[in-house]
Amino acid sequence: MTETQAPRAYQIRTFGCQMNVHDSERLAGQLEDAGYAPVEDGAKPDLIVFNTCAVRENADNKLYGTLGHLRPDKVANPDLQIAVGGCLAQKDRGEIVKRAPWVDVVFGTHNIGSLPTLLERARHNAEAEVEILESLETFPSTLPARRESSYASWVSVSVGCNNTCTFCIVPALRGKERDRRPGEILAEVEALVAEGVLEVTLLGQNVNSYGVEFGDRLAFGKLLRAAGAIDGLERVRFTSPHPAAFTSDVIEAMAETPNVCHQLHMPLQSGSDRVLREMKRSYRSARFLKILDEVRAAMPDAAITTDIIVGFPGETEEDFQATLDVVEQARFSSAFTFQYSIRPGTPAATMPDQLPKAVVQERYDRLVELQNAISWEENKKIVGRRVELLVAAGEGRKDAETHRMSGRARDGRLVHFTPGGAQVRPGDVVETVVTYGAPHHLVADGDLLSHRRTRAGDNAEAGLRPKTSGVTLGLPGFGAPAAQPEPMSGCAL
């Protein structure tokens, strides 16, 4: 690139869970280090990167359909580069360029650090580059990352998964669990906080098995307590734990560490012990409910969310009723509910007694109806309660129409509030009183009780986001990021 040439503009399109969203932050960081710049609104990119998911239903159809729409753009502009990475790339490998030969680069989950090199090689050789590694090449957190948010950040504690759930393809695509050292994790958190970040979410496929690799089964609870000692870090969350590995020391750390939020995402998957055995989920419903009782005894205000799969092969009406019974007892604040669908390469894909779509749909509708009723009942109990909100960007789809803003309470609930005349920005912290509870959100239409302007709010107002340089860190720098989507649950099971 000469001094007069503009940097090549990139766009990253992310599908899937929190892992994918955080990987996209790393992809953005690498591309910017390599001289690329995020595409401006309304402009056409020189590079489009798809970070894909293989867990969600019809993920492959969505990708190949989107690639098909891009073919005319590639024909019109041969210099446009298209790259496909993530879980679907790890699974489909060379099949992608067979079905979409206009794709320039395919890379897997284990070598996201190779993207800039592969792009340059594809440009030089004028042919597609496909590189899929079978094991992790570089721990992702050693890579630079352009952060999505000025006020809340993901921090990986581990990658991969050692579980063998029969419905899940993640271990085959992400590999065995690899744990980061606590000092590396805390150094990354401290560097983010130094630039104004107020909230971190500790991220792993199974966070409460963290430490097994280096011989400390109590490491995750210790990590939560250590995060509590970081000055300026106001909120700590984590996702996702596994009920089989959940221990009392983690509950104690949550309850005793002031900045650890009283929010827990605990995947149930099924309330039927028979189905849990078929899923190879190494806990039973009584154990699951006992954990919830222990959490609520220590933190009565805790909000607990979950994942549930409906229609697993062989699920009977009796099995499904057991799920409804557990949901009734658990009183989840919300649930991510999924209809089972076959994932090639998983043991469940070849199990007998795959259920008809109509049966799965009918059960799914009943579960959603029950959970919505419970969520609404639980949210109504919060009306009149004072809540502290970290103001968010893009969480309220109707905020412009209703003249509200949105934020997350400490328990993770979404609250739409009326700022009045206050000049509130994303990243600021406000206190208000809940005036209405709906099934999926709360409303606070009264006057603000307090409004604290923050450095994160200053950065959000200026359009600045942190960029961490990897495990060696130093202080993050700042710049304008590419837009990223909100993550969805469903991968970290």
Side-chain angles (χ1 to χ4, degrees):
M1 185 176 70
T2 67
E3 291 184 7
T4 57
Q5 282 181 312
R8 289 175 61 81
Y10 74 87
Q11 179 187 74
I12 299 176
R13 303 184 189 181
T14 309
F15 307 112
C17 69
Q18 300 96 327
M19 304 291 180
N20 291 59
V21 172
H22 192 22
D23 281 349
S24 289
E25 291 182 328
R26 296 182 180 117
L27 292 170
Q30 292 176 79
L31 291 172
E32 292 185 18
D33 276 6
Y36 293 77
V39 68
E40 296 181 359
D41 290 343
K44 289 188 176 182
D46 302 298
L47 165 66
I48 302 174
V49 182
F50 293 94
N51 189 7
T52 63
C53 171
V55 173
R56 294 187 169 272
E57 188 173 7
N58 296 322
D60 52 350
N61 291 339
K62 183 174 183 179
L63 171 67
Y64 291 117
T66 304
L67 291 175
H69 290 308
L70 283 176
R71 186 175 186 179
D73 293 340
K74 181 72 171 180
V75 171
N77 178 18
D79 289 333
L80 169 67
Q81 286 194 296
I82 301 170
V84 180
C87 291
L88 190 62
Q90 186 77 23
K91 180 175 76 73
D92 282 7
R93 304 174 180 242
E95 182 67 20
I96 292 174
V97 293
K98 290 179 183 177
R99 294 180 61 175
W102 52 95
V103 168
D104 298 276
V105 170
V106 178
F107 61 100
T109 59
H110 299 308
N111 62 317
I112 63 174
S114 301
L115 178 59
T117 300
L118 293 172
L119 289 166
E120 185 60 33
R121 194 184 301 163
R123 189 180 301 114
H124 179 271
N125 296 339
E127 63 181 16
E129 292 289 333
V130 179
E131 183 178 284
I132 306 291
L133 300 186
E134 297 301 329
S135 59
L136 197 64
E137 180 184 66
T138 303
F139 201 98
S141 293
T142 65
L143 302 170
R146 169 63 70 200
R147 301 294 177 152
E148 174 188 348
S149 167
S150 64
Y151 49 86
S153 289
W154 308 104
V155 175
S156 287
V157 303
S158 63
V159 294
C161 183
N162 294 337
N163 294 313
T164 57
C165 302
T166 55
F167 56 80
C168 186
I169 199 170
V170 167
L173 303 179
R174 294 276 181 177
K176 292 293 185 181
E177 182 174 323
R178 295 279 306 279
D179 293 336
R180 294 178 73 190
R181 292 287 170 173
E184 296 176 2
I185 296 167
L186 295 170
E188 182 175 348
V189 174
E190 288 171 347
L192 289 165
V193 172
E195 293 301 335
V197 169
L198 300 176
E199 174 181 302
V200 297
T201 299
L202 303 176
L203 189 61
Q205 297 290 159
N206 179 8
V207 291
N208 52 352
S209 67
Y210 170 73
V212 171
E213 187 181 19
F214 52 83
D216 186 355
R217 293 184 176 276
L218 302 180
F220 189 65
K222 295 175 183 177
L223 185 64
L224 290 177
R225 293 182 186 276
I230 296 176
D231 188 39
L233 179 59
E234 298 192 12
R235 296 183 176 191
V236 179
R237 306 187 192 275
F238 60 89
T239 193
S240 288
H242 191 294
F246 205 85
T247 51
S248 296
D249 65 291
V250 172
I251 297 173
E252 292 167 3
M254 291 177 67
E256 295 170 6
T257 309
N259 64 359
V260 176
C261 295
H262 293 179
Q263 174 195 10
L264 178 64
H265 184 75
M266 180 78 83
L268 169 65
Q269 306 305 2
S270 175
S272 163
D273 290 349
R274 189 193 68 80
V275 172
L276 288 172
R277 281 193 295 272
E278 292 295 310
M279 289 178 166
K280 287 197 174 180
R281 300 284 288 180
S282 46
Y283 57 88
R284 301 296 173 255
S285 58
R287 159 70 176 158
F288 185 93
L289 290 169
K290 183 179 178 182
I291 294 171
L292 268 54
D293 288 343
E294 188 176 352
V295 169
R296 286 175 171 141
M299 296 168 283
D301 61 337
I304 300 173
T305 59
T306 197
D307 295 328
I308 301 172
I309 296 172
V310 178
F312 187 80
E315 180 189 75
T316 65
E317 179 60 30
E318 183 181 9
D319 292 325
F320 178 66
Q321 184 59 51
T323 295
L324 295 180
D325 292 343
V326 172
V327 169
E328 188 75 68
Q329 293 176 70
R331 309 297 294 178
F332 299 115
S333 61
S334 65
F336 296 91
T337 51
F338 305 92
Q339 297 185 38
Y340 172 80
S341 58
I342 290 174
R343 291 293 176 271
T346 63
T350 57
M351 286 182 175
D353 301 323
Q354 302 282 334
L355 300 186
K357 170 68 174 176
V359 172
V360 178
Q361 182 68 54
E362 189 272 337
R363 290 178 184 171
Y364 175 82
D365 291 342
R366 275 192 281 157
L367 174 61
V368 170
E369 182 179 13
L370 173 61
Q371 181 56 53
N372 282 348
I374 292 171
S375 297
W376 200 1
E377 290 170 8
E378 294 301 310
N379 281 351
K380 286 176 181 177
K381 295 177 183 177
I382 301 174
V383 172
R385 186 181 301 176
R386 181 175 182 144
V387 290
E388 178 199 85
L389 308 179
L390 177 55
V391 183
E395 295 254 34
R397 290 180 303 227
K398 297 181 180 178
D399 282 353
E401 305 166 30
T402 59
H403 305 291
R404 295 181 179 125
M405 297 182 74
S406 299
R408 292 281 172 180
R410 295 188 66 85
D411 66 4
R413 283 181 167 92
L414 177 63
V415 182
H416 306 301
F417 68 94
T418 303
Q423 300 300 307
V424 181
R425 299 91 46 91
D428 285 352
V429 177
V430 301
E431 289 183 300
T432 186
V433 174
V434 175
T435 56
Y436 176 74
H440 303 296
H441 65 267
L442 302 170
V443 174
D445 273 340
D447 294 336
L448 294 182
L449 302 178
S450 69
H451 169 213
R452 174 160 53 92
R453 294 172 69 87
T454 67
R455 186 177 175 191
D458 295 341
N459 290 333
E461 188 174 30
L464 303 177
R465 304 289 187 270
K467 181 183 177 184
T468 50
S469 56
V471 72
T472 54
L473 291 173
L475 290 178
F478 275 82
Q484 299 281 359
E486 287 300 309
M488 300 175 288
S489 182
C491 181
L493 301 174

